[in-house]
Amino acid sequence: MKLKIYAFPLSPRSFKVLWAANHVDVPYEFQLVDFTKGGQSAPTFLALNPNGRAPVIDDNGFVLWESNAIVEYLASLKPDAGLLPRETPARLAVTKWLYWESAHWDPACAVFAFERVVKPLFGRGEEVQSEIDRGTQMFERIGKVLDGALAQHRYVAGDALSVADISLGASLCIADQARFPIEEYRNIQRWKADLKALPSWSKTTAMQVPPR
Ligand SMILES: N[C@@H](CCC(=O)N[C@@H](CS)C(=O)NCC(=O)O)C(=O)O
């Protein structure tokens, strides 16, 4: 049985794992979790992920949820793609950013994603300014941290592309639509352009078709 990836490609966390799979070029079967039809609450999906959230993978009975864990797994299937450094210090420099993504970057991006992407897509009401202000304050604290790292090296955890770039960069698939407050960060802008130039990025954005 082929690796199955359960995802809703318009969502950045799903985009993250599809992008990783496309980048390392592992064969997989895409299974749409259609949020517009409540696919995340279907009993068959809840049996895979009791959180009722995408993405999830099932590799011959090995079921894994949490996008960062999935990205690590996919990268480990193709070590020669180089997304996971082999040496412990370099590996942990990458792991550090995966935790930082979950703790700081994703929650800040999620504010803008909810207000400016999810709400219009699912008819969940108008943008709330106090939420945008809260998200802007979060970016004020974290934007300079990421920009500072990217001033020192081409990619987040060093001079080579790694799972840290996939994890953090995935949210940029909605950065323009959600108007993330990152215009002033020159190094983030340069990194964003580099990521968007990757063939794996284009292959994944081509999957971002709204379900009918
Ligand atoms: N920490 C989880 C978050 C997953 C998550 O929240 N996914 C959202 C979409 S981006 C979801 O499935 N939402 C459906 C819902 O909340 O009903 C991960 O990174 O995989």
Side-chain angles (χ1 to χ4, degrees), residues 58-78:
D58 181 350
D59 193 7
N60 248 319
F62 174 60
V63 175
L64 192 63
W65 39 265
E66 278 301 324
S67 57
N68 285 340
I70 297 170
V71 167
E72 272 205 65
Y73 179 73
L74 296 172
S76 75
L77 294 178
K78 291 284 184 97

Side-chain angles (χ1 to χ4, degrees), residues 11-14 16 35 40 52-55 65-68 106:
S11 117
R13 288 118 177 190
S14 285
K16 188 194 292 184
F35 288 174
Q40 71 274 35
R53 293 175 189 273
W65 39 265
E66 278 301 324
S67 57
N68 285 340
D106 177 270

Side-chain angles (χ1 to χ4, degrees), residues 16-204:
K16 188 194 292 184
V17 305
L18 293 167
W19 180 24
N22 291 334
H23 191 82
V24 301
D25 200 21
V26 67
Y28 66 92
E29 193 179 301
F30 166 56
Q31 303 277 332
L32 175 68
V33 183
D34 190 347
F35 288 174
T36 66
K37 297 189 173 62
Q40 71 274 35
S41 308
T44 46
F45 186 71
L46 289 172
L48 293 171
N49 185 359
N51 295 291
R53 293 175 189 273
V56 180
I57 60 164
D58 181 350
D59 193 7
N60 248 319
F62 174 60
V63 175
L64 192 63
W65 39 265
E66 278 301 324
S67 57
N68 285 340
I70 297 170
V71 167
E72 272 205 65
Y73 179 73
L74 296 172
S76 75
L77 294 178
K78 291 284 184 97
D80 290 347
L83 291 182
L84 270 183
R86 290 169 214 257
E87 301 299 323
T88 303
R91 173 81 178 243
L92 286 168
V94 166
T95 302
K96 173 189 79 178
W97 284 107
L98 299 185
Y99 283 111
W100 190 83
E101 192 269 351
S102 286
H104 307 297
W105 179 252
D106 177 270
C109 296
V111 172
F112 289 88
F114 185 70
E115 292 301 317
R116 293 177 172 160
V117 181
V118 174
K119 279 184 168 179
L121 187 63
F122 293 93
R124 301 272 297 268
E126 296 297 311
E127 183 178 310
V128 172
Q129 188 56 44
S130 59
E131 278 299 286
I132 296 296
D133 293 345
R134 185 172 71 86
T136 304
Q137 276 176 11
M138 293 162 92
F139 265 99
E140 275 166 13
R141 187 143 182 208
I142 61 173
K144 52 181 181 265
V145 176
L146 181 58
D147 198 67
L150 291 166
Q152 286 170 36
H153 23 73
R154 180 167 182 193
Y155 294 106
V156 172
D159 288 322
L161 187 82
S162 74
V163 292
D165 299 282
I166 303 270
S167 174
L168 288 155
S171 292
L172 300 176
C173 72
I174 55 155
D176 297 340
Q177 195 187 350
R179 306 199 303 282
F180 289 175
I182 53 172
E183 308 79 25
E184 70 189 84
Y185 299 114
R186 281 187 321 134
N187 300 295
I188 294 180
Q189 292 299 337
R190 188 265 310 150
W191 171 69
K192 179 176 171 226
D194 283 355
L195 298 181
K196 287 190 166 190
L198 293 169
S200 55
W201 179 278
S202 313
K203 188 171 177 186
T204 316

